[in-house]
Amino acid sequence: MINNRKYTQPTSYINNAGKASVFTSLKGSITVEASLAVSIFFFAMVMLTMILEIIYLQTTVKSALSSVGRQMAAESYYQPLMIASQMESRMVETIGEEVLERSMIAGGAQGLDCSRSRSYLTTTIMELVVDYQLELPILMFRLPILSQSESLRVKGWTGDESFGLGVDDYEIVYVTDYGIVYHSDISC
């Protein structure tokens, strides 16, 4: 005997299976979800842009510090003392005043502080330090100012005293860092 019963599918307890949104039964819920998703995406893109801008500023300041350090190392033979204000003005000149004024650096071109830089006269080593602060331009949140610091150590050029003094026959020697030993061959 054949059973004439129909087999039915078991009822699913998940009514929203296969739907794009969980709240599709509510009126206007897709609009609310889309606006939230777009807002979160926009906020994430703005934060990514801020991170990239901070990395750009750090790289720019470090590059300018390196350039100014090379200049000051070459001039240390004639001017062994380092003047922080002179270093700051060279940093502004190297980076560009317009770039600094448009950047997130607090105070713009006046926001670079090289007062912690110093030179050691006995070893002719200069420790160059530039401090600056970043203001994040986000109006919704009150974010703290980020303090940044870049540093670099360079050895000043000690020069060749006999050069240009009318001495035709002279020997070039290479002096060690502490001035105790010298070599006549650079590969030694």
Side-chain angles (χ1 to χ4, degrees):
M1 176 157 113
I2 299 178
N3 192 356
N4 288 341
R5 282 199 215 158
K6 287 187 175 181
Y7 290 102
T8 60
Q9 293 284 345
T11 57
S12 174
Y13 292 104
I14 303 173
N15 294 332
N16 294 329
K19 294 183 181 180
S21 174
V22 178
F23 301 106
T24 55
S25 61
L26 300 174
K27 193 172 189 174
S29 63
I30 299 255
T31 305
V32 172
E33 283 184 35
S35 67
L36 285 174
V38 168
S39 298
I40 291 171
F41 177 76
F42 180 71
F43 183 73
M45 289 296 110
V46 168
M47 292 280 90
L48 181 64
T49 304
M50 291 295 152
I51 291 171
L52 292 175
E53 179 71 18
I54 289 171
I55 292 171
Y56 167 74
L57 283 172
Q58 288 174 338
T59 305
T60 302
V61 170
K62 185 73 168 186
S63 176
L65 184 64
S66 176
S67 175
V68 169
R70 281 193 307 270
Q71 292 173 6
M72 295 185 81
E75 295 172 1
S76 68
Y77 183 71
Y78 301 107
Q79 182 182 3
L81 295 177
M82 185 172 26
I83 302 169
S85 61
Q86 182 184 23
M87 187 176 154
E88 290 168 1
S89 64
R90 285 185 181 187
M91 292 278 298
V92 170
E93 181 181 316
T94 303
I95 296 172
E97 189 170 355
E98 306 87 34
V99 173
L100 289 170
E101 293 299 331
R102 289 191 327 252
S103 71
M104 292 189 293
I105 294 178
Q110 303 299 320
L112 300 177
D113 180 25
C114 299
S115 62
R116 291 194 313 143
S117 297
R118 60 180 179 241
S119 61
Y120 303 101
L121 296 176
T122 57
T123 60
T124 67
I125 292 177
M126 293 182 283
E127 187 174 316
L128 308 177
V129 180
V130 60
D131 297 316
Y132 57 100
Q133 295 179 334
L134 298 176
E135 292 178 325
L136 299 178
I138 299 176
L139 301 176
M140 293 181 284
F141 306 108
R142 193 75 180 138
L143 296 175
I145 292 177
L146 301 174
S147 295
Q148 299 289 313
S149 181
E150 302 292 339
S151 63
L152 177 73
R153 292 184 108 191
V154 294
K155 181 163 175 39
W157 185 69
T158 54
D160 181 12
E161 290 187 20
S162 64
F163 184 73
L165 296 177
V167 179
D168 294 332
D169 187 26
Y170 63 92
E171 179 183 6
I172 294 178
V173 295
Y174 302 94
V175 181
T176 60
D177 288 339
Y178 301 105
I180 298 171
V181 179
Y182 70 91
H183 302 278
S184 59
D185 185 14
I186 195 168
S187 63
C188 180

